[in-house]
Amino acid sequence: KENVSQFSKGVYIEGENNKLFADSMYYNRNTGVGRAFGNLELIDTLEDVRIFGEEGHYNRITKRTVILGSPLAIKYYDEDSLMLMSDTMIDITDTLTGKRELLAYHNATIFSLDMQGLADSLVYSFTDSIINLYEDPIMWSEENQITGDTLMILQAKSQIDKMLVRNKAFIISDDKDDKFNQIKGRNMVAFVDQNELRSVDVKGNGQSVYYAKEDSVSYSGVNDIVCSDMFIRVDSNKVREITFYSTPEGTFYPVDQFPASKKKLPDFEWYIEKRPNEKLFLARYREPH
């Protein structure tokens, strides 16, 4: 009579494109508000996504779902998966445009075979697979660490296509033995192919330190260059060619004469100990229903 439903002891509800499992559930058809508690698993068969948590709040009218309790989301692809965890997740669909996004707030962490990342908050767009990371984001791809104020990841065929880094953009790769190749600028666009960094377009306040090699072992020297804009070509995670714009200034040093004060550009931070691994996510993972 009141259009209110309550379920307990192993709830399973199936819709057109989704399934929901929980220990208990409440739904008010009049208000469109539903709640689920305990061992939550939301399965989206249309997007091939699973979200795990301990508590969920759903509003049918606003198309908004909030997942709490150590949530974990997994987006499945043909040969890989993208895992995401945070303190809180919000799955929301714009009622006018139909655009759907997954918002992860506080301690957002992502992991896939080709990239790993950290940020305070993150937004994943189901519509175009774009990932935006906000507030001190750190991304890793192969040997490269990428940081900035905000970072946008554009994907193609479930792999990184390019990354846009805004404000305080910084790319670092460890060349071993305390030798770090570095690219710094105001903004950057990093182009990726087959999970490898191929080129970097630096716009504003460009700085670069890179170790040039004669072969796979021997170094020919170190380039220390300052230039407003630059375009860097990379092969096998090594800098191969740099094009400089607007009166570049630089020095080529023999490795043994490179000043220690120049080895690390201003604001250099190496966060390798924070790089996410699969074990972090397995701690939240449960076998799917």
Side-chain angles (χ1 to χ4, degrees):
K1 292 181 180 180
E2 297 178 355
N3 285 323
V4 174
S5 304
Q6 285 185 289
F7 306 87
S8 60
K9 295 185 179 179
V11 183
Y12 165 52
I13 292 180
E14 183 171 357
E16 183 178 357
N17 296 312
N18 54 67
K19 302 175 184 178
L20 175 62
F21 297 86
D23 291 343
S24 62
M25 191 182 305
Y26 163 91
Y27 181 66
N28 187 319
R29 182 176 290 173
N30 296 326
T31 62
V33 172
R35 298 184 179 91
F37 302 93
N39 296 311
L40 186 73
E41 181 184 355
L42 177 62
I43 304 171
D44 186 322
T45 55
L46 185 65
E47 295 289 347
D48 205 4
V49 171
R50 291 178 184 265
I51 302 177
F52 302 92
E54 291 300 322
E55 183 178 340
H57 300 262
Y58 170 68
N59 189 309
R60 175 174 52 83
I61 297 172
T62 61
K63 301 293 184 183
R64 178 185 176 98
T65 302
V66 180
I67 302 100
L68 306 169
S70 301
L72 166 67
I74 306 175
K75 167 68 175 175
Y76 295 93
Y77 299 105
D78 292 337
E79 299 179 358
D80 194 10
S81 60
L82 175 67
M83 295 189 286
L84 165 63
M85 63 184 188
S86 63
D87 296 341
T88 302
M89 289 186 190
I90 301 176
D91 186 337
I92 187 166
T93 301
D94 190 307
T95 55
L96 295 177
T97 64
K99 183 178 181 180
R100 183 182 170 196
E101 295 178 326
L102 182 65
L103 287 60
Y105 286 106
H106 307 307
N107 301 310
T109 308
I110 60 174
F111 179 90
S112 71
L113 294 178
D114 62 324
M115 66 176 174
Q116 303 82 45
L118 299 171
D120 176 74
S121 54
L122 177 154
V123 177
Y124 174 84
S125 170
F126 289 98
T127 306
D128 48 26
S129 299
I130 291 176
I131 304 172
N132 282 284
L133 296 95
Y134 302 98
E135 294 193 38
D136 302 320
I138 311 170
M139 280 296 305
W140 292 267
S141 177
E142 295 292 334
E143 299 175 4
N144 304 289
Q145 173 189 287
I146 302 118
T147 57
D149 283 352
T150 62
L151 201 153
M152 177 187 290
I153 302 169
L154 290 84
Q155 300 185 86
K157 297 180 180 180
S158 75
Q159 293 185 337
I160 301 175
D161 182 51
K162 61 183 175 181
M163 290 179 277
L164 282 63
V165 191
R166 296 190 180 96
N167 297 322
K168 300 179 182 178
F170 209 144
I171 297 180
I172 304 171
S173 64
D174 186 1
D175 208 35
K176 310 304 179 186
D177 300 324
D178 199 37
K179 295 178 176 65
F180 293 93
N181 293 315
Q182 302 157 64
I183 304 167
K184 184 180 179 183
R186 184 185 303 119
N187 301 309
M188 287 185 197
V189 180
F191 299 89
V192 179
D193 182 46
Q194 298 298 315
N195 298 331
E196 288 192 7
L197 185 67
R198 297 299 186 186
S199 61
V200 181
D201 195 3
V202 181
K203 297 296 185 183
N205 302 333
Q207 295 176 264
S208 175
V209 169
Y210 74 93
Y211 291 79
K213 283 189 172 181
E214 295 177 348
D215 48 48
S216 60
V217 178
S218 303
Y219 292 96
S220 59
V222 188
N223 276 294
D224 176 27
I225 300 169
V226 175
C227 182
S228 177
D229 299 341
M230 59 179 76
F231 186 78
I232 298 123
R233 296 191 183 279
V234 182
D235 183 34
S236 300
N237 290 308
K238 307 300 180 186
V239 174
R240 301 302 182 190
E241 178 185 344
I242 302 183
T243 303
F244 303 99
Y245 306 94
S246 305
T247 60
E249 297 179 6
T251 305
F252 186 77
Y253 295 90
V255 174
D256 58 357
Q257 296 179 26
F258 190 41
S261 60
K262 291 181 174 290
K263 285 187 176 182
K264 297 176 181 178
L265 294 174
D267 304 317
F268 177 100
E269 294 286 350
W270 185 239
Y271 297 107
I272 191 62
E273 73 283 353
K274 294 185 177 182
R275 188 169 188 170
N277 57 51
E278 198 169 10
K279 291 182 179 178
L280 290 173
F281 296 85
L282 292 177
R284 295 191 182 188
Y285 180 77
R286 295 193 300 269
E287 286 297 325
H289 286 85

